[in-house]
Amino acid sequence: MIADIGLIALVLGFLLSGYATAASAYGGRRGRPLYVESARNAVVGAFGMLTLAVLSLVYSLVTLDFSRAYVADVSSRAMSAFLRATALWGGQEGSILFWAWIMVGFVAVVSLRKWDRDRELMPWVIAVAMATTTFFVGLSVFISNPFAKLWLEQGAHELTPAVFRPENAVPYIPEDGQGLNPLLRHFGMIGHPPTTYVGFTGFVIPFAFAMAALITGRSSQDNWIQTTRRWTLLAWVFLSIGLILGGRWAYDVLGWGGFWGWDPVENAMLMPWLTGTAFVHSVMIQEKRGMLKVWNMILIILTYALVIFGTFITRTGLVSSVHAFAKSALGPAFFLFIGVTFLASMGLLFRRLDTLRADHELQGLLSRESVFLLQNVLFLAITFAVFWGTVFPMISELFTGTRISVGPPYYRKVTGPLFAGLVLLMSMAPVLAWRRQSVRLLLRSLAPPLLLSLLAGGLWAYGHRQHPGSALALWLLSFAILAMLFEFGKGMQARMRSLGESAVAALSRLLARNRRRYGGYLVHLGVVMIALAFVGDAFFKQETQGPLGQGESLNLAGYSLRYEGLRKYDGSDGREVLEATTSLYKDGRLLRQLMPRQDYFVVQQQPMTVPGVYSTLGEDVYVLLVGWEEIGLQSATFKVYVNPLINWAWLGGALLVLGTVVAAWPSSGATASAGYALRTAQRAAAMGQGD
C-alpha cells in the first residue's frame, strides 16, 4: 500500500537525518571533508524520503484510506479533495511530519548552495539544523506516527492507533472518518499553518549559522550575519504572514468580532516574531558598526528557543486554546529538547564571549545605534510580558492546583505603553545618523511631521473628548506615518531636482537604488497601519444585540439592520445551514443584504457561526446570528459590531510583505552610477544621515 511506502520512507528519513547530524559533526571536528560531503548527500536523501512520506500521507487522505488512524481522524467523504489534502497539517501527527519536511527542505537548500565563503561553518550548520530535524522526525516515527493503523481490541471494544498490531487486536476500517475540525475549513487556516511553519523553521537556519560561528571560533567575524540575512527576512516575513492569516481566520470564524484575543497560541507565535524583529534590527548595527555581537547571539538563541517553545505548547495541549491540539505524549520529549538546546547554546555563548568583543563603542545617546538598542530592550520587555502571561496559568495550577487565567486587559495595560514607545522610536530612527546626531539637525528633520501630527492629534482630541487615550495613540501613529512619508519625499525631491525625473520614476528608482532602506520604511508603514486597526478595536468598537421579528430593525452607530427572514438548507462538507437574510441601511439608503448564518456539522456535531460583513476602508459592520425561534423561524437574535479601521490590518499586512520583498531583493548594481550631483543632493536631503 502507498501508506506503507510512506511509513518506510519516514523511517529512512529519520535514519538519514540522524546520520547527517553525526557525520557532519564528525567531519567538522576531525577535518574530514568526505564525511561532510556524505552528510550533505544524506540531507538531500532525507528530504527525498520525507517528501515521499508527505506525498504518501496526502494520497491516503485524498483517497480516504481509513485504515490509517490519522486519515480517519481528519478526513471524511463529505470533504472536498482539496480540504482532504490540506488536512495534512490539520492534526497532530500530520503537522509534525509537515514541520520536519519543511525544515529538512531548508537544510537541503542551504547545504547545496556554494560554500566558498562559509566552508568552515557549513559542517556545523548542517549538524545543528539536522539535529533539530532529527528530533521532529523522531517524534513523527516514535510518538506521533501519521501512518499508524487502527486496531480493534477484542473484548474491550476499544480502538487503538498503532504501527504494529497490538496483542488480541484485529484491523479496523471505519466506513467514514471524523473529518477536519470545522473551524479549520477556512482559507486563513489553510494558509496559516504552512506560512507559520516556514517562519518557524526558517529561523533555525540563522540559529544554526550562529552556533556554527561559536563552535568554530569565527563568531568575531560577520560572515554568518551576511549569509543569513535573507534567510532571516524570509523567516520573519512568513511568520508575519502567518500571524496576519491567523488574525483573519479568528475574525471570520470564531464569531467574537475581533482578530486578536491574546490567546496562548497566538502569543506563542508572537513571541518569536518579537525577538526575531529585534534580531533583524540589531544585526544592522553589527554589519554597520561591528557592535552588539553578544546581543545578537542572545536574540537568535531566544528566537530559536521560543520557536520550539511555541511548537511545544501548541502540539502538547499544555494550554487551553481553540488553536491548540489535544493533549499528547509529546510533552516530556519537547521539554527535554528545549532545555538541552537552550543550555547548550548559552553555554557555548559564554565559552566564546572573548571572541565577541565589539569593534566600536556607543558614541552618543542620540544616534541610530542607541535607538535600535532601546527598541530591542522594548521588544524583549514585551516578549517577557507576553511569556509571563502565557505561562502564568500553568504556574498557578502547578503551585496552587487552580488555573488562573490571564486575559486581554493584562496584555493591553502592560504591553500598550511599550508598543507606544516602539512607535515613537520607529518614527525617530530613519532621521538619525550613525555614531551621533546633532540636536539641531534632528529637530530640523522632525519638525514638519511633528507639527502636523500634533495638529492632527489636537483636532482629534477636541472632537473625541470621551477617548483621551485615542488622541495620544493616533498622534503617535500619525507622527510615524508622516516621518516616513517625509523621508520618501526628501529622496524623491532630490532625484526630481537633480535628474528631472517624474514623481513616479523618482519613487521607483529610489526604491531600486536603496532597496534595504526604503523597503524597511515600507515595512514600518505596514506595521503602523496594523497598529491603527488595534487602536480602532481598543477605542472605537461598538456592539449591540437584540431579538428581531420579520421587518423589525436594530440600530447601531448610524446603521440600521432589518431582519427579512430565515431559511434552512443542506450545505457542502456534511453541514446543515441556517441562514438569515438581513438588509443593512445607513441614512435610509440600502447598502447591502447580509447573510449571517449558523453551520452545523453533523458528523462532528459541532456548530460554527459565519458572520455577514459589510466592509469599507473605514470600518466593518459585522453581523452574527446568535439565536432563533425554532417554530416558524419568524424571529431571530442578532449581535452587531461596528469595527472601525479593521481593514487597515489586512492592508498593512500586504504592505509589510511588499516592503520585505523590496528590502530583500538583490541589487543589480547598475543603478550606482547616477552621478555625483545626485549623491550630493540626496546627502543634503537626508541631512547627514548614515545609511
Side-chain angles (χ1 to χ4, degrees):
M1 295 176 64
I2 297 296
D4 293 324
I5 295 174
L7 175 62
I8 295 170
L10 178 61
V11 173
L12 290 176
F14 171 72
L15 295 175
L16 287 168
S17 297
Y19 172 79
T21 305
S24 56
Y26 180 81
R29 184 174 180 82
R30 298 293 184 183
R32 305 287 293 274
L34 286 178
Y35 280 90
V36 179
E37 187 65 28
S38 177
R40 180 158 68 168
N41 293 334
V43 170
V44 177
F47 175 66
M49 289 298 101
L50 290 184
T51 300
L52 182 57
V54 166
L55 292 175
S56 299
L57 184 56
V58 171
Y59 179 84
S60 298
L61 289 165
V62 172
T63 58
L64 302 172
D65 181 6
F66 293 132
S67 67
R68 306 293 162 167
Y70 183 72
V71 178
D73 187 44
V74 300
S75 188
S76 70
R77 300 184 187 280
M79 291 167 54
S80 66
F82 175 74
L83 281 177
R84 293 178 213 160
T86 62
L88 169 66
W89 52 80
Q92 180 78 272
E93 295 83 357
S95 66
I96 291 176
L97 173 60
F98 189 57
W99 202 106
W101 175 65
I102 295 175
M103 181 71 255
V104 76
F106 268 122
V107 184
V109 173
V110 170
S111 64
L112 291 175
R113 57 183 286 276
K114 291 183 179 180
W115 285 13
D116 297 341
R117 188 173 62 176
D118 306 305
R119 186 166 296 277
E120 189 178 349
L121 297 179
M122 289 309 298
W124 298 106
V125 171
I126 294 175
V128 172
M130 288 306 294
T132 305
T133 304
T134 303
F135 168 73
F136 277 89
V137 182
L139 292 178
S140 195
V141 171
F142 298 108
I143 301 178
S144 193
N145 197 306
F147 297 103
K149 294 183 178 181
L150 270 176
W151 304 92
L152 178 63
E153 295 185 32
Q154 295 178 337
H157 300 291
E158 292 182 358
L159 292 176
T160 301
V163 174
F164 301 105
R165 178 177 178 175
E167 188 176 356
N168 297 323
V170 295
Y172 178 80
I173 303 178
E175 293 184 4
D176 199 359
Q178 288 295 311
L180 193 64
N181 186 328
L183 294 177
L184 304 182
R185 305 182 191 190
H186 180 269
F187 80 90
M189 287 308 284
I190 290 170
H192 166 70
T195 52
T196 302
Y197 294 169
V198 170
F200 273 10
T201 56
F203 274 119
V204 177
I205 300 302
F207 170 79
F209 271 92
M211 294 304 99
L214 291 174
I215 292 169
T216 59
R218 293 180 58 188
S219 48
S220 61
Q221 303 177 23
D222 297 337
N223 287 354
W224 74 272
I225 290 285
Q226 296 164 4
T227 300
T228 60
R229 176 177 168 266
R230 288 191 174 88
W231 291 103
T232 304
L233 286 176
L234 177 71
W236 184 85
V237 74
F238 270 95
L239 188 53
S240 301
I241 295 171
L243 284 165
I244 294 163
L245 289 176
R248 184 70 205 198
W249 167 78
Y251 187 65
D252 287 347
V253 171
L254 296 185
W256 56 283
F259 65 98
W260 187 266
W262 297 102
D263 179 270
V265 175
E266 293 175 338
N267 295 344
M269 289 181 57
L270 178 64
M271 288 186 287
W273 184 88
L274 289 167
T275 56
T277 305
F279 179 71
V280 167
H281 286 82
S282 190
V283 293
M284 294 173 61
I285 303 177
Q286 183 169 341
E287 285 185 281
K288 291 288 185 180
R289 303 278 292 133
M291 301 166 61
L292 302 185
K293 295 181 180 181
V294 175
W295 186 255
N296 286 332
M297 286 290 180
I298 292 173
L299 284 176
I300 194 59
I301 290 171
L302 279 177
T303 301
Y304 173 82
L306 289 171
V307 162
I308 305 300
F309 175 77
T311 311
F312 162 58
I313 66 173
T314 307
R315 296 295 174 275
T316 57
L318 194 63
V319 297
S320 299
S321 168
V322 294
H323 305 260
F325 291 94
K327 290 186 177 181
S328 69
L330 297 172
F334 261 110
F335 191 77
L336 180 63
F337 185 76
I338 293 171
V340 169
T341 54
F342 182 75
L343 293 175
S345 302
M346 294 303 295
L348 191 57
L349 173 60
F350 282 113
R351 181 184 174 189
R352 295 294 190 186
L353 278 178
D354 59 329
T355 68
L356 294 169
R357 294 190 183 94
D359 298 339
H360 300 92
E361 298 294 331
L362 194 64
Q363 296 182 10
L365 293 178
L366 201 59
S367 64
R368 192 173 294 189
E369 296 96 316
S370 63
V371 168
F372 276 12
L373 181 58
L374 186 54
Q375 281 181 326
N376 281 352
V377 172
L378 292 178
F379 274 121
L380 288 188
I382 296 170
T383 303
F384 177 78
V386 174
F387 179 82
W388 178 248
T390 303
V391 302
F392 182 77
M394 294 178 278
I395 294 174
S396 67
E397 186 176 29
L398 179 65
F399 286 100
T400 68
T402 302
R403 181 172 285 250
I404 302 174
S405 299
V406 176
Y410 159 80
Y411 294 104
R412 290 170 185 159
K413 289 180 180 179
V414 176
T415 66
L418 298 174
F419 275 117
L422 278 175
V423 172
L424 181 61
L425 293 174
M426 188 171 65
S427 308
M428 298 172 58
V431 301
L432 284 168
W434 297 105
R435 300 180 181 88
R436 63 171 60 90
Q437 173 80 59
S438 72
V439 176
R440 181 179 62 84
L441 286 177
L442 178 62
L443 292 177
R444 184 178 165 190
S445 297
L446 290 178
L450 179 60
L451 292 175
L452 287 174
S453 62
L454 285 172
L455 178 61
L459 291 173
W460 182 267
Y462 180 78
H464 298 79
R465 296 184 185 89
Q466 70 274 28
H467 297 297
S470 68
L472 176 61
L474 290 173
W475 166 71
L476 279 172
L477 295 177
S478 62
F479 179 43
I481 292 173
L482 288 168
M484 282 176 277
L485 291 179
F486 268 80
E487 285 303 299
F488 274 101
K490 290 174 186 176
M492 292 170 60
Q493 190 176 39
R495 294 193 66 91
M496 292 165 68
R497 286 179 177 176
S498 301
L499 300 177
E501 296 175 341
S502 67
V504 174
L507 177 60
S508 62
R509 289 168 188 166
L510 192 69
L511 292 172
R513 280 182 57 81
N514 204 329
R515 293 188 177 97
R516 188 170 183 179
R517 178 179 178 181
Y518 290 100
Y521 290 173
L522 291 176
V523 171
H524 286 179
L525 283 171
V527 171
V528 172
M529 290 167 66
I530 295 171
L532 278 171
F534 278 94
V535 171
D537 183 74
F539 292 103
F540 306 113
K541 184 175 184 176
Q542 298 183 61
E543 63 180 89
T544 189
Q545 178 174 325
L548 296 176
Q550 282 186 307
E552 294 180 344
S553 298
L554 196 62
N555 300 314
L556 178 67
Y559 292 96
S560 179
L561 183 77
R562 190 174 72 187
Y563 172 49
E564 307 291 356
L566 202 63
R567 68 186 184 110
K568 285 184 176 180
Y569 61 91
D570 292 331
S572 60
D573 296 341
R575 72 182 89 185
E576 295 175 351
V577 180
L578 183 66
E579 184 178 69
T581 301
T582 65
S583 298
L584 184 67
Y585 294 85
K586 188 169 187 179
D587 300 326
R589 181 172 59 91
L590 176 64
L591 298 176
R592 181 177 298 174
Q593 280 199 329
L594 300 179
M595 316 291 282
R597 68 178 197 262
Q598 287 272 352
D599 292 358
Y600 183 76
F601 289 81
V602 178
V603 174
Q604 293 80 14
Q605 297 185 10
Q606 181 176 336
M608 188 173 76
T609 302
V610 181
V613 182
Y614 173 72
S615 291
T616 66
L617 188 60
E619 61 192 10
D620 272 7
V621 180
Y622 184 99
V623 182
L624 297 169
L625 173 64
V626 296
W628 56 91
E629 186 182 78
E630 289 289 351
I631 300 175
L633 305 178
Q634 295 299 309
S635 67
T637 300
F638 297 92
K639 191 165 190 175
V640 182
Y641 296 89
V642 174
N643 296 324
L645 304 176
I646 185 71
N647 291 306
W648 288 87
W650 326 128
L651 295 173
L655 187 59
L656 182 150
V657 173
L658 175 62
T660 307
V661 171
V662 171
W665 199 268
S667 297
S668 63
T671 58
S673 59
Y676 175 77
L678 174 60
R679 291 195 296 271
T680 303
Q682 287 184 320
R683 289 194 191 100
M687 302 170 67
Q689 294 176 44
D691 184 13

